[in-house]
Amino acid sequence: MSIQAVRGTKDISGEEMRKWHRAEQVFRDVTAAFSYQEYRTPMFEHTELFKRGVGQDTDIVGKEMYTFEDRGGDSLTLRPEMTAPIVRACIEHSLLHHNPIQRLWYAGPQFRYERPQKGRYRQFHQFGAECIGSPHPEADAEIILLGYEVLRQFGLTDFTLEINSLGSADVRNAYRSALIAFLEEHKAQLSEDSQKRMYANPLRVLDSKDERDRAILQSAPLLGDHLDEDSRAHMQAVLALLDVAGVPYKVNPYLVRGLDYYNHIVFEFTTEALGTQNAVGGGGRYDPLFSMLGGGQHPAVGFSIGIERMMLLHDAQNVDEQGADEPRGVYLSAIGEEARLPVQMIALRLRRKGVHVVTDLLRRSVKAQMKDANRENVAFTIMIGESELATQTAVVKNMVTGEQVTVDQTAIESVVLS
Ligand code: HAM
């Protein structure tokens, strides 16, 4: 039996790959405009990092991590997210000593053992940005705008920015008790999942997709009603900055997010277009994370976007892919044995000048090479045969207009680059 890709993983190629490249260009352009630096961390970390950073009682740590013991007996985990690794790196390399504000971005594969379905994979990719060092609402707004710009510049419009405040740790603790008391009153009617979660992670019950849970939660106490003055002011200041930027949002009092490190602002970019996997991206302020990882007190805020979900939304929205199918480059065709060597030399010359060149590697007939040139969607086909060799010329055919000219071999560049 042939071996297939692991369930929940995907190959990326062809047209899809070109779309990814375009997305990567948007990541680079937007992060450069916001002055964020790329940061790359290893694909695996000590398991302890995620246990402490993401939280023991979260779904990620409880049931989704790819954890293994290496040959030296260390417990390692394929990264399920990037915020804990970035903070680990900040602490390890004392980045904040060098500059009290760190603006960092990343893009790369993440791993979670989830039940695969459309928009949910076991290896998926995130693009994200973290703004570390500022407790002020300007940092929250900067991060939200960066995420918004990436989606927008990739051509996406069919999404909503949802936002909520989780308040300070004190607010959350007080609210937690009130929520548990409420859930206890309705315990018998709650879904099995919510019953399991209500003590360890009661805020997550608010996120439940179960219809019965949702009906009960209609009358649950809301975190928003428990916020203290500072938390309220922080939220209002972020919303005011979004208003000024003209970025639309929806305050969602049920939005809590699934990771333990958040406080104050949390947000998600959601869409109706992807069925149940409705979050294209999400993030928030995570002031507690540095101290959870033994790195002192440092405020921070960030987000990640799921790249596969961004692509699915792109497809669902039918974004106009300008230039996606335009012919480009040249097919350099050797006709007959004698032409093979000179053609390879000309190919290298053109490639060094940045021309995209395809040559035939199967020693095909002229007819078969022309068919191949059509498949490769090139802008020009260049043919060199016996008579061209004798006169040091080449036949250049414009594949769009069909026009054909014979030029000196040294003049090929001027035709195909014009
Ligand atoms: P998260 O909400 O767990 O947050 O993931 C962010 C995004 O990654 C999701 O909105 C979704 O688009 C994508 N994603 C998550 N799991 C999968 C999956 N199994 N398959 C496909 N896509 C998926 C975080 O990871 C935080 N680190 C975000 C953050 C950064 N908070 C502060 N800074």
Side-chain angles (χ1 to χ4, degrees):
M1 211 175 72
S2 62
I3 299 172
Q4 303 192 328
V6 175
R7 190 165 126 82
T9 69
K10 255 174 21 125
D11 299 319
I12 304 163
S13 66
E15 194 47 54
E16 182 76 5
M17 192 77 253
R18 279 189 275 285
K19 232 164 40 185
W20 278 67
H21 285 162
R22 242 183 28 79
E24 285 159 13
Q25 196 54 50
V26 172
F27 302 154
R28 283 178 207 290
D29 292 346
V30 176
T31 51
F34 280 76
S35 204
Y36 278 60
Q37 307 292 324
E38 185 174 5
Y39 204 97
R40 296 189 189 183
T41 62
M43 219 73 91
F44 51 81
E45 299 270 358
H46 291 291
T47 302
E48 192 58 22
L49 174 68
F50 301 112
K51 281 194 177 163
R52 268 162 61 184
V54 176
Q56 288 279 10
D57 297 320
T58 59
D59 282 352
I60 295 180
V61 172
K63 45 190 190 193
E64 295 171 2
M65 292 208 300
Y66 278 92
T67 296
F68 59 98
E69 200 174 287
D70 75 1
R71 287 168 193 271
D74 286 335
S75 177
L76 304 178
T77 293
L78 297 184
R79 62 186 190 197
E81 63 103 50
M82 284 294 290
T83 311
I86 289 280
V87 169
R88 191 264 309 135
C90 270
I91 299 170
E92 185 171 342
H93 307 298
S94 311
L95 298 184
L96 291 162
H97 287 310
H98 304 299
N99 184 340
I101 294 289
Q102 291 292 324
R103 292 182 163 100
L104 305 171
W105 73 273
Y106 48 81
Q110 317 294 326
F111 307 87
R112 295 184 193 176
Y113 191 81
E114 293 196 75
R115 202 163 45 77
Q117 62 179 75
K118 184 179 167 194
R120 192 163 70 194
Y121 311 99
R122 290 181 174 169
Q123 174 175 322
F124 61 99
H125 297 73
Q126 283 184 342
F127 158 77
E130 313 289 348
C131 178
I132 296 163
S134 168
H136 299 300
E138 297 86 279
D140 302 60
E142 179 172 293
I143 274 293
I144 295 173
L145 292 181
L146 199 164
Y148 180 81
E149 277 306 294
V150 162
L151 296 176
R152 214 184 57 86
Q153 291 194 25
F154 192 54
L156 306 180
T157 48
D158 193 7
F159 65 88
T160 306
L161 165 61
E162 296 186 35
I163 186 164
N164 191 23
S165 174
L166 301 180
S168 62
D170 286 348
V171 167
R172 238 175 11 268
N173 283 339
Y175 172 69
R176 209 182 129 97
S177 312
L179 183 61
I180 292 179
F182 169 86
L183 294 173
E184 272 175 341
E185 276 172 41
H186 299 85
K187 189 169 174 185
Q189 294 104 282
L190 286 174
S191 69
E192 217 177 299
D193 257 1
S194 293
Q195 289 191 25
K196 267 191 232 152
R197 276 190 179 136
M198 62 180 275
Y199 293 106
N201 210 342
L203 265 66
R204 286 292 279 157
V205 175
L206 294 179
D207 241 5
S208 170
K209 305 271 188 290
D210 185 284
E211 289 296 328
R212 281 172 312 160
D213 290 351
R214 297 231 55 84
I216 294 165
L217 288 167
Q218 295 280 330
S219 49
L222 290 176
L223 223 168
D225 300 332
H226 285 69
L227 289 185
D228 57 17
E229 230 4 85
D230 284 353
S231 306
R232 222 181 279 276
H234 187 93
M235 172 78 158
Q236 287 313 320
V238 174
L239 297 184
L241 287 159
L242 296 177
D243 286 335
V244 169
V247 171
Y249 55 81
K250 195 174 102 192
V251 175
N252 173 1
Y254 294 97
L255 181 67
V256 293
R257 309 261 312 126
L259 303 92
D260 274 2
Y261 45 60
Y262 294 116
N263 65 346
H264 292 295
I265 298 298
V266 286
F267 62 94
E268 267 177 359
F269 297 108
T270 58
T271 177
E272 307 270 296
L274 301 184
T276 49
Q277 302 312 307
N278 68 341
V280 182
R285 179 162 279 286
Y286 53 92
D287 301 337
L289 185 54
F290 273 78
S291 60
M292 283 157 79
L293 297 177
Q297 298 283 346
H298 297 288
V301 54
F303 75 91
S304 314
I305 285 172
I307 303 179
E308 285 81 358
R309 291 191 193 171
M310 203 172 127
M311 297 299 167
L312 285 169
L313 183 55
H314 182 280
D315 295 346
Q317 246 192 243
N318 259 326
V319 178
D320 200 11
E321 273 284 333
Q322 275 181 354
D325 294 327
E326 268 172 31
R328 68 179 193 127
V330 307
Y331 192 95
L332 195 48
S333 168
I335 301 167
E337 175 118 27
E338 297 291 299
R340 261 182 225 132
L341 206 63
V343 153
Q344 288 302 327
M345 298 313 295
I346 295 170
L348 182 61
R349 203 178 80 207
L350 292 176
R351 284 169 176 151
R352 285 187 172 153
K353 292 189 172 142
V355 182
H356 160 115
V357 181
V358 190
T359 57
D360 170 46
L361 293 179
L362 292 174
R363 302 193 169 182
R364 282 175 278 209
S365 68
V366 185
K367 200 167 150 213
Q369 286 192 52
M370 290 309 111
K371 215 169 131 196
D372 195 27
N374 276 320
R375 184 172 38 217
E376 292 286 347
N377 196 25
V378 290
F380 296 95
T381 302
I382 300 176
M383 288 158 284
I384 297 180
E386 217 174 305
S387 60
E388 287 76 30
L389 279 180
T391 51
Q392 298 279 299
T393 57
V395 177
V396 181
K397 180 174 175 189
N398 182 320
M399 299 296 276
V400 181
T401 61
E403 194 188 338
Q404 197 163 300
V405 288
T406 299
V407 300
D408 203 85
Q409 281 175 12
T410 54
I412 295 175
E413 285 87 333
S414 64
V415 179
V416 301
L417 287 172
S418 63

